[in-house]
């Protein structure tokens, strides 16, 4: 493509962007300013949902299929990264020679604190903003920061444990659904009496899996770090 | 929430969407394309969250908020996949930019 073709293309692109943004903006502008949507239904059913946080109720009760498949999407991303990159630690981090003692000392304090905050958020999700995803993200950030500080905590992780950590959320979620089916209910239809504990159990396992998955994609698809970075062509 | 505040957030989301869309079309660097796609996603999430505050009861609609939470995780997964593809491309070819000429 010559330069004039590129100029025509970029002008067309700019027009296309302007048209699409204009249309979307117009659509947003003409929305009614008051609209209850599904919130009345969601809040009316809250007493049977096993949680007093409406967002958690939507995520893990009314629309638990979404969350189940979301766990599958996350696992698929890890598997794809595993296949494409094959693990190994990024060259820029995990260089213990350059990591400084202040960073290491800070990380020593922050890691237990992060784990505590993560557990707190998981429990908080029952009645306030929080839940498995937030908890998993904070737990994963603790793991990533450890690597950034040059502390390789996962290279001795057994291969089976790596796989269990990555998949336990999806398996626990599906398992709860299947057990509920065996008791004569439909898939993931929690009985109101035990809904709270089932949701909490699913959230604990999902939180662990989410954290493992996020650390894994950071490390190129493997939770178990490898000291040697794959060289080009190997 | 005040009506005008809702529109402010929603329009900001649409603008973010437009900036991201521009990046998708015009950035040749693949990492920038990934960033642009994430910016588009952030704009859409912002519109969704703004729309969820329109409930007359004052309590935000939990359904769009849960959808945004799901969307964030899917966006993270897609970003991870794209970055893994870019790392593999870099390992195979040494490039992270798309070629300038189509004939190359």
């Amino acid at each position: 493509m010559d330069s004039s073709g590129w100029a025509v293309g970029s002008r067309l692109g700019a027009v296309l962007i302007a048209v699409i943004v204009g249309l979307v903006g117009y659509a947003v502008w003409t929305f009614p300013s008051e609209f209850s949507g599904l919130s009345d239904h969601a809040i009316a059913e809250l007493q049977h949902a096993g949680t007093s946080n409406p967002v958690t109720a939507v995520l893990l009760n009314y629309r638990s299929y979404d969350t189940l498949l979301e766990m599958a999407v996350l696992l698929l991303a890890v598997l794809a990264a595993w296949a494409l990159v094959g693990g190994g630690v990024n060259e820029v981090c995990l260089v213990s020679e350059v990591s400084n003692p202040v960073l290491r000392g800070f990380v020593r304090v922050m890691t237990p604190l992060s784990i505590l905050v993560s557990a707190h958020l998981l429990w908080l999700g029952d009645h306030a903003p929080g839940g498995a995803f937030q908890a998993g993200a904070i737990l994963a950030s603790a793991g990533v920061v450890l690597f950034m500080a040059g502390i390789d905590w996962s290279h001795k992780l057994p291969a089976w444990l790596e796989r269990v950590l990555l998949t336990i959320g999806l398996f626990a979620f599906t398992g709860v659904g299947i057990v509920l089916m065996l008791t004569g209910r439909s898939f993931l239809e929690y009985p109101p009496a035990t809904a709270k504990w089932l949701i909490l159990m699913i959230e604990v396992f999902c939180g662990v899996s989410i954290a493992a998955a996020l650390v894994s994609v950071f490390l190129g698809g493997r939770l178990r770090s490898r000291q040697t970075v794959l060289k080009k062509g190997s | 929430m005040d009506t005008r505040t809702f529109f402010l957030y929603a329009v900001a989301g649409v603008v973010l969407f437009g900036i991201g869309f521009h990046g998708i079309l015009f950035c040749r660097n693949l990492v920038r394309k990934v960033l642009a796609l994430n910016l588009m996603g952030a704009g859409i999430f912002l519109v969704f969250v703004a729309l969820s505050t329109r409930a007359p009861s004052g309590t935000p609609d939990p359904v769009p908020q849960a959808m945004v939470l799901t969307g964030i995780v899917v966006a993270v997964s897609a970003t991870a996949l794209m970055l893994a593809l870019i790392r593999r491309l870099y390992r195979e070819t040494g490039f992270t930019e798309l070629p300038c000429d189509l004939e190359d």
Side-chain angles (χ1 to χ4, degrees):
Chain A
M1 197 194 289
D2 55 10
S3 60
S4 66
W6 174 251
V8 171
S10 64
R11 216 166 293 144
L12 272 178
V15 172
L16 184 69
I17 292 167
V19 168
I20 290 181
V21 169
L23 284 176
V24 176
Y26 177 73
V28 167
W29 191 255
T30 51
F31 276 136
S33 60
E34 283 209 343
F35 181 69
S36 63
L38 290 167
S39 59
D40 295 339
H41 299 285
I43 290 163
E45 285 295 314
L46 209 53
Q47 51 188 332
H48 306 297
T51 164
S52 55
N53 177 2
V55 178
T56 305
V58 173
L59 274 179
L60 283 147
N61 201 330
Y62 312 146
R63 297 190 62 84
S64 42
Y65 272 65
D66 282 7
T67 309
L68 175 66
L69 291 174
E70 182 183 342
M71 294 299 299
V73 167
L74 196 58
L75 183 62
L76 272 177
V78 174
L79 294 181
W82 188 330
L84 285 165
V85 182
V89 179
N90 225 319
E91 290 91 335
V92 290
C93 56
L94 192 64
V95 189
S96 42
E97 298 91 55
V98 300
S99 100
N100 68 53
V102 177
L103 183 59
R104 278 180 174 240
F106 175 69
V107 162
R108 288 232 161 85
V109 179
M110 282 308 287
T111 306
L113 206 61
S114 303
I115 294 169
L116 199 64
V117 170
S118 155
H120 175 65
L121 273 177
L122 191 70
W123 177 253
L124 209 64
D126 178 54
H127 54 270
F133 292 99
Q134 292 87 330
I138 290 189
L139 202 56
S141 72
V144 169
V145 167
L146 277 176
F147 273 108
M148 298 292 230
I151 300 168
D152 184 358
W153 55 270
S154 75
H155 70 278
K156 282 181 184 156
L157 203 71
W160 64 268
L161 188 59
E162 177 187 31
R163 288 162 165 81
V164 165
L165 286 176
L166 283 172
T167 54
I168 193 166
L170 195 57
F171 279 138
F173 215 145
T174 320
V176 167
I178 289 172
V179 167
L180 287 172
M181 278 172 91
L182 292 179
T183 62
R185 295 172 164 268
S186 36
F187 187 65
L188 289 173
E189 182 200 348
Y190 315 117
T194 53
K196 177 177 174 156
W197 301 107
L198 287 175
I199 287 175
L200 191 65
M201 191 190 86
I202 290 172
E203 282 202 299
V204 168
F205 287 120
C206 283
V208 169
S209 269
I210 290 159
L214 293 177
V215 175
S216 298
V217 291
F218 175 76
L219 294 176
R222 297 291 301 266
L223 184 57
R224 194 158 57 136
S225 67
R226 285 187 306 177
Q227 302 277 11
T228 52
V229 177
L230 275 181
K231 292 284 180 296
K232 200 173 151 186
S234 63
Chain B
M1 189 190 256
D2 178 30
T3 322
R4 297 223 305 272
T5 325
F6 142 67
F7 277 123
L8 197 65
Y9 282 104
V11 169
V14 175
V15 170
L16 274 182
F17 176 84
I19 297 171
F21 194 36
H22 179 272
I24 291 270
L25 288 186
F26 291 115
C27 286
R28 229 176 265 133
N29 188 311
L30 291 171
V31 179
R32 287 191 184 194
K33 264 195 205 298
V34 172
L35 285 177
L37 196 71
N38 272 296
L39 206 57
M40 275 174 92
I44 295 166
F45 297 150
L46 192 55
V47 171
F48 259 67
V49 171
L51 293 185
S52 76
T53 61
R54 293 179 302 157
S57 60
T59 317
D61 189 354
V63 179
Q65 299 209 344
M67 282 172 77
V68 167
L69 212 49
T70 308
I72 288 171
V73 177
V74 174
V76 165
S77 307
T79 307
L81 177 58
M82 289 185 284
L83 291 176
L85 281 167
I86 293 171
R87 273 186 77 175
R88 182 60 184 264
L89 182 77
Y90 179 73
R91 195 197 292 161
E92 301 288 338
T93 67
F95 292 108
T96 57
E97 295 216 349
L98 295 181
C100 193
D101 295 323
L102 291 177
E103 289 86 44
D104 276 2

